[in-house]
Amino acid sequence: MNAKVSHLGEIALVARLLERIGSTGTPVGPGDDAAALEITPGRWLLATTDILVEGVHFRSDWAEAWQVGYKSLAVNVSDIAAMGGSPTYALISLALPGELSAAWVEGFYQGLERCALRWGIKIVGGDTVAAPQVVVTVTLLGEVEAGRALTRAAGRPGDILAVTGDLGAAAAGLHELENPGPVSSAARSSVLRRHLLPAPRVREGAILAGTPGIGAVIDLSDGLARGAWEVATACGLGAEVYAERLPVSAFTREVARGHGRDPLEWALYGGEDYELLFSVRPSEFAALRDRIRNACGTPVTAVGCLLPREAGIVLCRGQSRLTLGKGYEHFRSTYG
C-alpha cells in the first residue's frame, strides 16, 4: 500500500482495508452502517463507531461543548437507525489538549447525556488521552431482531428510491456559520439546529425494518449523491435521481438565496442531514409513506429509482442526464 491516502481517497482506501479483513462470518460485516453480530439467539447485536475531529467536524467557536457532545452520539445513533435497530450502550473515548478547561469536558458530557436520555442509551465506558486537539471517538451498540437488519445491498431493479425528511439543511447551517448572510432569524435558527443537533431517524428505521418490500437502506451522512452511489454500487445496480423531486425546506432555500447558492447542491453533496435513503417496491411505497408520516410526523419523498447496472448512476435535472458524483470523500476533499 505505497500510495498516499490523499491519492487513494476514502472509498479506495476503505476498499483495500475491507479486502485485507476478508470474510468475518458475521450476519453483516464491515462496509455497512453497522456490523451485526449474533450474540443472543433471536437477536443481533449492532456495533458502529465514528470519529469527530476538532477543526474537521466541529469548531469550538461555532458549537457549544454540549452541542458537540450531543452530535457525537447522535451521528452514531443514525447508523443504528439505518440498520433498523435500537441503540443500547455507548463507549466514549476522548483525546484532549492539556490546556482545555474541565468545564468544556463537563459540558460535552452534558450533551452526551442529553442525547443518551433521548434514545435510552447507557454510557458504559471509554478512554481519555492527551492530544494536540480534541478528537472524539464513539462506539455505539444496538439490537435488532435476527434476520431483520437493514443493509445497503438489498435493493432490486425497479425499486423506488425514497428519503425521509428534507435535505441540505445541515450544509446550509454550516455555510451560515462560515459566512453569516442576510437571512431571517427563523431560517438561521432552523439550519443551525440541523447542523449542530442532528435528529436520527430511529423510529422511522424500525418501521422500515418491519415493512415488506424494503430493499436497501443507508443514512445520509455524506449527502444524497454519495448515499445513492453507495446503495447502487452495493446492490450492483444503476440508479436515477431526479433533482426536481429532492425535498428542500423553505428555510434552506431562503439561506441559499441569501448566499447566492443552489440549494440542490447542498441537498446532493452537502452531507450531515442524517436522513434515511431507502429503496422499496413501488407497490409498497404509498402505504409506507403514510405509515411513517402518521407514526412519526416525518414526510417521505420518492426521489429516484434503482435500475439495471448498465443504466449507470445518473442525476436527471430538466432535460439533462449527468453522471451522479460520489460526493465528499475524506482525504480527497473533493466532490466527484
Side-chain angles (χ1 to χ4, degrees):
M1 196 187 233
N2 295 322
K4 295 181 179 179
V5 293
S6 59
H7 295 157
L8 283 173
E10 180 186 11
I11 293 171
L13 177 63
V14 170
R16 285 196 182 196
L17 297 177
L18 291 178
E19 185 177 353
R20 292 188 67 89
I21 292 170
S23 174
T24 61
T26 56
V28 181
D32 221 295
D33 286 292
L37 319 170
E38 188 162 24
I39 306 298
T40 303
R43 301 290 292 174
W44 284 357
L45 175 70
L46 302 174
T48 187
T49 188
D50 266 301
I51 301 173
L52 279 79
V53 180
E54 184 179 13
V56 178
H57 300 97
F58 67 91
R59 281 177 44 176
S60 295
D61 55 335
W62 289 348
E64 297 180 39
W66 76 269
Q67 293 172 325
V68 178
Y70 190 101
K71 185 173 183 176
S72 297
L73 184 53
V75 301
N76 284 271
V77 174
S78 184
D79 284 333
I80 299 296
M83 305 293 290
S86 301
T88 54
Y89 301 101
L91 296 99
I92 315 298
S93 294
L94 295 176
L96 303 171
E99 64 273 15
L100 187 69
S101 72
W104 190 96
V105 182
E106 290 174 357
F108 175 89
Y109 261 80
Q110 288 174 358
L112 277 178
E113 291 160 1
R114 182 170 170 178
C115 186
L117 181 63
R118 171 69 180 84
W119 297 111
I121 299 164
K122 294 182 180 179
I123 299 173
V124 294
D127 193 17
T128 57
V129 66
Q133 67 196 105
V134 177
V135 180
V136 182
T137 302
V138 175
T139 299
L140 181 62
L141 305 180
E143 286 189 331
V144 68
E145 185 179 331
R148 290 181 65 173
L150 304 168
T151 74
R152 305 176 183 186
R156 301 137 301 198
D159 277 4
I160 288 174
L161 281 174
V163 67
T164 60
D166 59 85
L167 305 173
L174 176 60
H175 196 81
E176 181 65 17
L177 284 169
E178 293 174 331
N179 307 283
V183 301
S184 69
S185 59
R188 177 178 169 83
S189 175
S190 175
V191 298
L192 290 188
R193 182 174 182 81
R194 290 288 297 278
H195 176 69
L196 296 171
L197 301 172
R201 299 299 192 181
V202 176
R203 294 172 63 199
E204 293 84 348
I207 291 172
L208 294 180
T211 299
I214 288 296
V217 184
I218 191 172
D219 80 320
L220 295 179
S221 56
D222 295 310
L224 179 69
R226 174 73 173 268
W229 185 89
E230 291 197 349
V231 162
T233 301
C235 297
L237 297 173
E240 285 184 347
V241 172
Y242 309 114
E244 287 78 7
R245 297 186 187 178
L246 300 186
V248 179
S249 75
F251 285 142
T252 299
R253 293 183 184 277
E254 179 185 334
V255 174
R257 286 194 302 272
H259 289 276
R261 298 294 297 268
D262 181 354
L264 292 183
E265 288 297 311
W266 287 340
L268 285 165
Y269 302 112
E272 295 204 313
D273 286 313
Y274 297 104
E275 298 291 352
L276 298 180
L277 174 69
F278 61 91
S279 77
V280 60
R281 287 296 192 200
S283 59
E284 301 290 337
F285 173 72
L288 175 61
R289 177 195 60 204
D290 294 344
R291 193 176 310 129
I292 291 176
R293 182 180 59 208
N294 293 336
C296 309
T298 305
V300 172
T301 306
V303 297
C305 61
L306 292 176
L307 300 169
R309 185 170 189 166
E310 55 269 22
I313 304 173
V314 176
L315 173 67
C316 302
R317 191 168 190 178
Q319 300 301 311
S320 301
R321 291 174 57 85
L322 307 171
T323 299
L324 190 63
K326 296 187 288 289
Y328 179 80
E329 275 196 71
H330 286 287
F331 308 118
R332 286 189 185 277
S333 297
T334 59
Y335 300 86

